């Protein structure tokens, strides 16, 4: 039996809903963790289950415990935090503050903001390279991706963090979130107001466009084999599949209404997206699911390289306004440590 949990960031409810998964098609909502006002972005976890999420209307990030399923503390950052990343080594977190146009560096040992780095207008979501050398941050208001040199953090040199490149997307495209493909060679950018996905070559910063035909890009994940990018497009309630090598769209997958966040469970090749859907209707080709849900798609049930066959789905109810979804495998934490943390809460 598996011991996996999905964490849905439910903006309108001010909670993080926790869905337990014990096997294929076996899901149940086990907890709603109260955090700050208007949480945004996926909960980002350290290896030992410290989770962090932005509270956009409260200028804080909440730390939650993946074992005890409770809020541990709140850390003050800049105005309207939206995006967050944990730097390899897990001593620091980066937080993009969309209201103060800055990037906070947070010490996760002291649980305090150390400094803020100036950014462009309205920075949003980010990803950090596996080697901890760079962070890529979507600058929504100015239409570019900021490349931040964070390599000095491995030596504690906070003052060395600096922007080294502004990679153009389009000022009218509004880049919202991004992800780095498993090979580390390309950055895929979801744009809310462009009909294309932007792809950045990591080695050269060269920019490519992949036509999706619709605005409303929100999030990017990758298939287990790394061959396909999966991009949620909110306005048409679909996930678009892009061949990572050829940069061609190979098919679309209808899901629940208004999909935003997306995550892949690589152990059983399923994908989960959060259906926000304040104003968007479902794709008539897709499942008859409502908003405020997660859609699970079993990627084993139809091919990704062509528009053929139908996928198997499951609907999972969460809180209001789910904007993001992430996962954490509790089996990566020892049984002894899990019990210790549960005993601490009960005491």
């Amino acid at each position: 039996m598996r011991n996996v949990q999905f964490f849905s960031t439910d903006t309108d409810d001010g909670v993080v809903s926790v869905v337990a998964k014990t096997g294929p098609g076996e899901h149940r909502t086990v907890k709603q963790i109260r955090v700050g006002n208007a949480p945004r972005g996926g909960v980002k976890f350290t290896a030992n289950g410290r989770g962090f999420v932005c509270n956009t209307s409260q200028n804080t990030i909440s730390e939650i415990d993946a074992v005890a399923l409770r809020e541990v503390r709140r850390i003050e950052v800049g105005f309207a935090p939206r995006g967050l990343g944990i730097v390899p080594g897990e001593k620091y977190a980066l937080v993009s503050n969309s209201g103060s146009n800055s990037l906070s560096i947070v010490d996760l040992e002291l649980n305090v903001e150390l400094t803020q780095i100036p950014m462009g207008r309205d920075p949003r979501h980010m990803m950090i390279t596996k080697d901890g050398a760079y962070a890529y941050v979507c600058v929504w208001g100015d239409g570019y991706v900021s490349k931040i040199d964070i390599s000095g953090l491995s030596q504690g040199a906070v003052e060395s963090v600096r922007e080294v490149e502004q990679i153009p997307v389009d000022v009218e495209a509004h880049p919202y979130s991004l992800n780095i493909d498993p090979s580390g060679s390309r950055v895929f950018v979801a744009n809310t107001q462009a009909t294309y996905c932007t792809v950045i070559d990591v080695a050269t910063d060269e920019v490519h466009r992949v036509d999706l035909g619709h605005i409303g890009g929100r999030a990017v994940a990758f298939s287990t084999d790394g061959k396909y990018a999966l991009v949620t497009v909110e306005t048409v309630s679909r996930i678009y599949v892009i061949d990572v090598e050829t940069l061609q769209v190979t098919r679309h997958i209808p899901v629940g209404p208004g999909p935003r966040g997306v995550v892949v469970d690589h152990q059983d090749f399923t994908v989960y997206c959060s259906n926000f859907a304040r104003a968007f209707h479902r794709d008539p080709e897709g499942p008859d699911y409502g908003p405020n849900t997660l859609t699970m798609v079993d990627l084993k049930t139809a091919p990704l390289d062509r528009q053929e066959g139908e996928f198997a789905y499951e609907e999972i109810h969460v809180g209001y306004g789910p904007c993001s979804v992430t996962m954490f495998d509790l089996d990566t934490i020892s049984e002894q440590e899990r019990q210790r943390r549960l005993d601490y809460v009960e005491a």
Side-chain angles (χ1 to χ4, degrees), residues 200-220:
I200 301 168
D201 186 289
V202 168
T204 64
D205 294 334
E206 184 181 359
V207 175
H208 308 272
R209 292 182 177 182
V210 180
D211 183 37
L212 303 177
H214 303 277
I215 65 170
R218 284 288 183 172
V220 183

Side-chain angles (χ1 to χ4, degrees), residues 319-333:
Y320 287 96
C323 70
S324 298
V325 59
T326 55
M327 63 176 285
F328 186 79
D329 187 347
L330 282 172
D331 288 332
T332 60
I333 300 177

